[in-house]
Amino acid sequence: MTLDGGVARAGGERPAGASMEFDGEPPEGGGPVAVRLLLDEASVQARVAELGVELRGDYEGVEPILVSVLRGGVVFLADLVRAAAMPCLVDFMAISRFDASEDTGVVRIEKDLELDLSGAHVLVVEDIVDTGLTLTYLLRVLAARGPASLRVCALLDRRARRIVDVPLSYVGFEVPDVFLVGYGLDLDERERGRRELLAVEDLEAVRGDPALLDLPTRPDGPGRLPPV
Ligand code: XMP
Ligand code: MG
């Protein structure tokens, strides 16, 4: 997958002709890159459409329960059910880490599912799998409820940080080890509604100046040709 797109810098300077590559070396001048466009709306939507077709084929003749983990996964789920356009049920869970500083993966269920999973074909729809700890714990909890099948569909797979090997049946994109914002993913609970996925290289710069998030997708932003 090509990770193309514009860049935004801390410090406000936006030199012309900045790199479109997602490849480390910042272009000359203007300070370090704060935000890059990882996946634009069209790329995300094209992949979600493909995943939808795949799910429709794989679940033909059954009516799976799609389980979404609040809150990051809901944007992906909303697009995925429409792309799949298949008979299915949808339910939601909210979980939180007991201790974010501890990598045990043990989570507290803040809001449980309302549907009964016993004998059901269950598909967990996740935004991003990072260490895999949260998902591993969640799958153990769901498996204990006796589903006929239990699979995972993750939009993003940050495989480089995996600690527990967790089987993912469907993956949208493999992504690099950088903080991501948009398309359901939050920056301090904000920015979930962005249609694109942004890679935040400098969190403090963006916290200090959230407008940096807009630069990579502006038509006149760095790396973009001016409108004709
Ligand atoms: P683990 O490490 O257990 O955690 O696989 C996955 C969960 O961590 C959250 N996460 C992120 N949220 N931007 C976010 O907004 C990110 O870059 C990011 N990486 C991980 C997410 O909730 C996921 O379910
Ligand atoms: Mg999540």
Side-chain angles (χ1 to χ4, degrees):
M1 185 191 64
T2 317
L3 303 172
D4 67 343
V7 296
R9 292 159 189 293
E13 284 298 302
R14 291 190 285 112
S19 171
M20 295 287 284
E21 304 292 323
F22 191 89
D23 65 358
E25 273 311 294
E28 278 171 42
V33 170
V35 185
R36 298 173 196 259
L37 178 63
L38 184 72
L39 292 162
D40 65 12
E41 180 183 3
S43 307
V44 172
Q45 290 302 326
R47 187 69 187 114
V48 172
E50 287 176 356
L51 289 171
V53 170
E54 209 180 331
L55 292 181
R56 187 161 65 241
D58 289 358
Y59 286 94
E60 199 178 348
V62 296
E63 192 176 53
I65 298 177
L66 273 52
V67 169
S68 172
V69 186
L70 297 171
R71 289 176 286 264
V74 293
V75 174
F76 176 40
L77 176 85
D79 282 345
L80 191 64
V81 284
R82 286 176 289 183
M86 64 183 185
C88 66
L89 305 174
V90 168
D91 206 350
F92 299 90
M93 272 184 108
I95 58 178
S96 68
R97 287 265 181 97
F98 266 114
D99 180 356
S101 65
E102 228 179 72
D103 269 352
T104 59
V106 177
V107 295
R108 183 184 1 238
I109 296 176
E110 304 284 0
K111 180 215 169 298
D112 207 340
L113 300 172
E114 304 201 349
L115 299 174
D116 179 9
L117 300 190
S118 61
H121 293 277
V122 175
L123 180 68
V124 177
V125 177
E126 263 283 30
D127 48 0
I128 181 166
V129 182
D130 198 53
T131 62
L133 288 165
T134 313
L135 188 57
T136 299
Y137 182 83
L138 191 66
L139 289 176
R140 207 178 304 144
V141 169
L142 299 182
R145 300 180 184 183
S149 71
L150 181 59
R151 291 182 180 174
V152 179
C153 176
L155 178 69
L156 308 172
D157 181 3
R158 197 188 275 129
R159 209 165 294 173
R161 281 179 43 86
R162 196 64 39 83
I163 292 174
V164 196
D165 184 26
V166 52
L168 306 179
S169 299
Y170 309 92
V171 171
F173 302 94
E174 201 177 316
V175 293
D177 187 7
V178 58
F179 191 78
L180 303 178
V181 172
Y183 200 69
L185 297 175
D186 69 302
L187 176 64
D188 305 330
E189 293 302 326
R190 299 190 174 88
E191 314 294 346
R192 296 188 194 272
R194 288 180 179 272
R195 295 168 184 271
E196 69 283 354
L197 269 154
L198 300 169
V200 176
E201 302 276 2
D202 187 339
L203 262 177
E204 289 320 304
V206 171
R207 284 195 171 111
D209 181 8
L212 286 169
L213 292 169
D214 295 324
L215 295 182
T217 49
R218 272 173 47 161
D220 62 341
R224 295 302 170 108
L225 294 172
V228 285

